[in-house]
Amino acid sequence: MAALARSILVTGSNRGIGLELVRQLAASPRPPQHIFATCRDPKGPRGKALQELAAQHPSIKLVQLDAVNLPSIRGAVRAVGSHLKDQGLNLLINNAGVSSHATLRSLDSREMLSAFATNVVRPVQVTKEFLPLLEKAAKGVGKEGLSCSRAAVINISTKLGSIGLCLRAAQNMVTRCMAAELQDKGILCVAIHPGWVKTDMGTEKAPLMVEHSVQGILMVLASLSQDTSGAFLDWEGNTLPW
Ligand SMILES: NC(=O)c1ccc[n+]([C@@H]2O[C@H](COP(=O)([O-])OP(=O)(O)OC[C@H]3O[C@@H](n4cnc5c(N)ncnc54)[C@H](OP(=O)(O)O)[C@@H]3O)[C@@H](O)[C@H]2O)c1
């Protein structure tokens, strides 16, 4: 099977679903040439698991990226651009996220705004800054149709409902709008719900192992095409209502 994409960037890759995405991509039989594993503090103690993984796989490049900090995002774009030289970035996975368990009774505007910044504003801001690199990949010679191997933006989202998580409805709307705009540039855009996964966010109570969720997500990514651009899918490829 061909590599999913020549170059892939994952945000929030120091733990949870992001770390497992990087692990499985690097260990795949046809790994991407460049896996840009980004997180807030790649050199610090929170990046330890990622540092250990990168030491085993030369395809993994650690890049600092705080998804709500514009200078940090721009620094990451420069670092990625200098690795890729004249090539573009094929696949951007907006995975970094925070959960909010707020209900109408417990609602705290600061928590809501912080969750909104990380979960809704950041995929747009990160995608906007990486757009020139994605467009460069989309224009690659002999490429037709939409696919992750050409150029794509994947927003890891959620179908779960609570007032805090309803902020993600806003993220899903953003995916839909991005897909419509990016289609003409040859860039696919999809939102994916990873399931309820055993991670720090999903907690031990979650039924799904992170390995299984990520195996499913990677299979779904490989199957994406023009027909699924703008879709909201789960980790098993089922279409979810917006
Ligand atoms: N687990 C589930 O059941 C579940 C269900 C539905 C959707 N999701 C979504 O799946 C994605 C990954 O979730 P997870 O379960 O892996 O969560 P997790 O274990 O809590 O990990 C979250 C990751 O996001 C990073 N992050 C948070 N804010 C960031 C920022 N401003 N800039 C860069 N990185 C940031 C964290 O980095 P630090 O270590 O620096 O904090 C961490 O790497 C999230 O978008 C989440 O909403 C998860």
Side-chain angles (χ1 to χ4, degrees), residues 64-80:
Q64 198 277 339
L65 191 159
D66 181 337
V68 292
N69 180 318
L70 193 54
S72 162
I73 300 170
R74 290 188 172 154
V77 172
R78 282 194 297 277
V80 169

Side-chain angles (χ1 to χ4, degrees), residues 12 14-15 17 40 46 66-67 95 156-158 168 195 197 199:
N14 57 313
R15 58 190 170 101
I17 293 169
R40 290 194 265 212
R46 292 175 77 81
D66 181 337
N95 165 74
I156 304 293
S157 187
T158 185
R168 288 309 186 92
V197 190
T199 60

Side-chain angles (χ1 to χ4, degrees), residues 149-177:
S149 64
R150 183 181 182 190
V153 177
I154 305 299
N155 293 325
I156 304 293
S157 187
T158 185
K159 69 168 188 179
L160 303 177
S162 81
I163 288 193
L165 286 166
C166 277
L167 288 171
R168 288 309 186 92
Q171 188 194 353
N172 291 339
M173 189 183 80
V174 157
T175 302
R176 192 86 174 172
C177 297

Side-chain angles (χ1 to χ4, degrees), residues 98-104 107 111-112 115-116 119 160-169:
V98 290
S99 62
S100 165
H101 299 292
T103 63
L104 198 50
L107 208 58
E111 187 188 342
M112 271 190 89
F116 191 84
N119 297 329
L160 303 177
S162 81
I163 288 193
L165 286 166
C166 277
L167 288 171
R168 288 309 186 92

